[in-house]
Amino acid sequence: FLSLVAEFCCGFFVILILGNFWFLAVLYLLWLYLDWETPCAGGRRSQWVRSWTVWKYFREYFPIHLIKTSELNPNHNYLLGFHPHGVLVAGAFGNFCTDPPFKNLFPGLTPYLHIMPIWFGCPFFREYIMSAGMVSASKESVSHVLNNKGGGHASVIVIGGAEESLNAHPGSLTLNILKRKGFIKMALKHGAHLVPVFSFGENELFKQVANPKGSWLRNVQEKLQKIMGFALPLFHARGVFQYSFGLIPYRQPIHTVVGSPIHVKQNLNPTTEEIDRLHALYLQKLKKLFEEHKSNYGIPAHKSLIFE
């Protein structure tokens, strides 16, 4: 969905340049230059955009549910690790970029969904995603959010990133997380409490072309991901009036479960051992969260998370 909107915005910008409105394109480029750092400085959210009626229908289509398991004190800052990435990341967008799901369950907390910096280079599209509460996934951006002295900020990071989308097959429980420890270091440096989040149903929205590790397709996808910074999963789902083929996601319920916070004491210069220790604890809490709730959302008892 976001890719389609981005393509439309880029197309509109090209039309301005080629048409009789080139001066508007020049003015916008000047604005882009002056506003370039905003995605790393908390963005520019709009309550009006986040409350559009279309998002209510978006959440009801699947439907998307946000499940609270513990209180989050608004006097603290939090780093929420979102799993899995899936193809669409619908649970992250529906719950953290639209109102009122998160606001109603966690009053006093403001969520910021961190996404790849490349998206903020897209003309006009960057204005929309910032208005929805999305900010850059750069270190500077995460630091800006978690530096809020009075607390009340929640950084939401899709830990598996674009690479994990290549594992987004129905029934897949594989998470790319063993080598991803940057979010742990950020939590320690800012004293932000860690909160594991698992979105049941995220991988069921699309069917992806078989791409097992070692296959020629997977090799090509991984090389392109390293070059471009984002992955290109080959997926399909349903159409508007038929259910056999199309790019509209299947109507599969998504239950995004927010776990209990792991209390983190600020450490400006954490050692490798301290980072590894907290990372291991996070994995333990994430697995515990999954095991406690999997039976509620159709996951067989014998299936467990796979960490890569």
Side-chain angles (χ1 to χ4, degrees):
F1 174 77
L2 290 180
S3 297
L4 292 175
V5 177
E7 291 173 8
F8 173 81
C9 291
C10 289
F12 180 69
F13 185 70
V14 171
I15 291 173
L16 288 180
I17 295 176
L18 299 179
N20 295 323
F21 303 98
W22 58 268
F23 63 94
L24 293 178
V26 172
L27 288 175
Y28 183 79
L29 286 176
L30 176 60
W31 162 256
L32 193 62
Y33 172 77
L34 296 173
D35 195 56
W36 190 255
E37 296 300 324
T38 301
C40 295
R44 188 170 45 248
R45 70 178 53 225
S46 165
Q47 192 59 44
W48 175 66
V49 172
R50 290 174 58 90
S51 301
W52 281 351
T53 303
V54 67
W55 303 136
K56 174 177 178 290
Y57 294 122
F58 174 81
R59 294 191 302 267
E60 291 177 350
Y61 171 80
F62 298 97
I64 297 174
H65 304 280
L66 186 64
I67 314 300
K68 176 181 179 179
T69 64
S70 177
E71 294 292 338
L72 297 183
N73 189 333
N75 293 324
H76 298 294
N77 293 317
Y78 298 88
L79 195 158
L80 278 62
F82 184 92
H83 313 270
H85 183 287
V87 171
L88 187 63
V89 205
F93 177 80
N95 287 311
F96 304 115
C97 295
T98 72
D99 286 329
F102 189 86
K103 182 172 67 174
N104 284 351
L105 288 180
F106 301 99
L109 282 181
T110 301
Y112 295 82
L113 179 60
H114 295 270
I115 63 175
M116 291 183 297
I118 190 174
W119 291 114
F120 296 97
C122 181
F124 300 114
F125 179 67
R126 69 188 297 274
E127 318 304 333
Y128 159 67
I129 56 180
M130 279 196 289
S131 67
M134 293 182 235
V135 292
S136 173
S138 66
K139 292 180 180 178
E140 295 79 11
S141 178
V142 177
S143 290
H144 185 276
V145 173
L146 297 181
N147 261 338
N148 192 43
K149 300 302 181 183
H153 281 189
S155 279
V156 183
I157 302 178
V158 184
I159 305 299
E163 183 182 358
E164 194 173 85
S165 67
L166 299 179
N167 289 328
H169 296 272
S172 173
L173 296 173
T174 301
L175 303 181
N176 292 67
I177 192 172
L178 291 182
K179 296 181 180 179
R180 296 178 181 267
K181 301 179 181 180
F183 73 105
I184 298 292
K185 186 175 182 179
M186 294 300 291
L188 281 166
K189 291 183 70 172
H190 296 283
H193 298 337
L194 281 166
V195 182
V197 179
F198 195 87
S199 196
F200 292 90
E202 200 74 44
N203 284 339
E204 325 307 318
L205 305 184
F206 296 93
K207 291 180 180 178
Q208 191 172 167
V209 175
N211 60 342
K213 288 197 172 183
S215 66
W216 70 268
L217 176 58
R218 185 61 168 257
N219 290 335
V220 170
Q221 288 175 319
E222 290 177 345
K223 288 180 180 178
L224 288 175
Q225 189 264 325
K226 290 180 181 179
I227 295 172
M228 300 184 298
F230 56 90
L232 292 173
L234 299 179
F235 60 89
H236 66 88
R238 53 162 290 185
V240 179
F241 301 111
Q242 45 78 28
Y243 294 86
S244 57
F245 190 82
L247 295 179
I248 298 176
Y250 293 115
R251 297 192 69 177
Q252 296 289 337
I254 298 172
H255 294 87
T256 303
V257 184
V258 180
S260 301
I262 301 170
H263 294 273
V264 178
K265 185 178 180 180
Q266 187 173 23
N267 184 345
L268 296 178
N269 296 293
T271 64
T272 301
E273 291 75 17
E274 290 170 330
I275 293 173
D276 288 344
R277 192 180 308 122
L278 183 55
H279 186 261
L281 177 60
Y282 179 85
L283 294 183
Q284 178 186 331
K285 295 294 185 180
L286 174 59
K287 186 173 184 178
K288 182 174 182 288
L289 177 71
F290 174 81
E291 293 295 331
E292 288 178 346
H293 295 273
K294 67 180 183 180
S295 62
N296 297 331
Y297 308 115
I299 307 295
H302 67 279
K303 286 201 169 187
S304 296
L305 293 179
I306 300 172
F307 297 142
E308 289 187 346

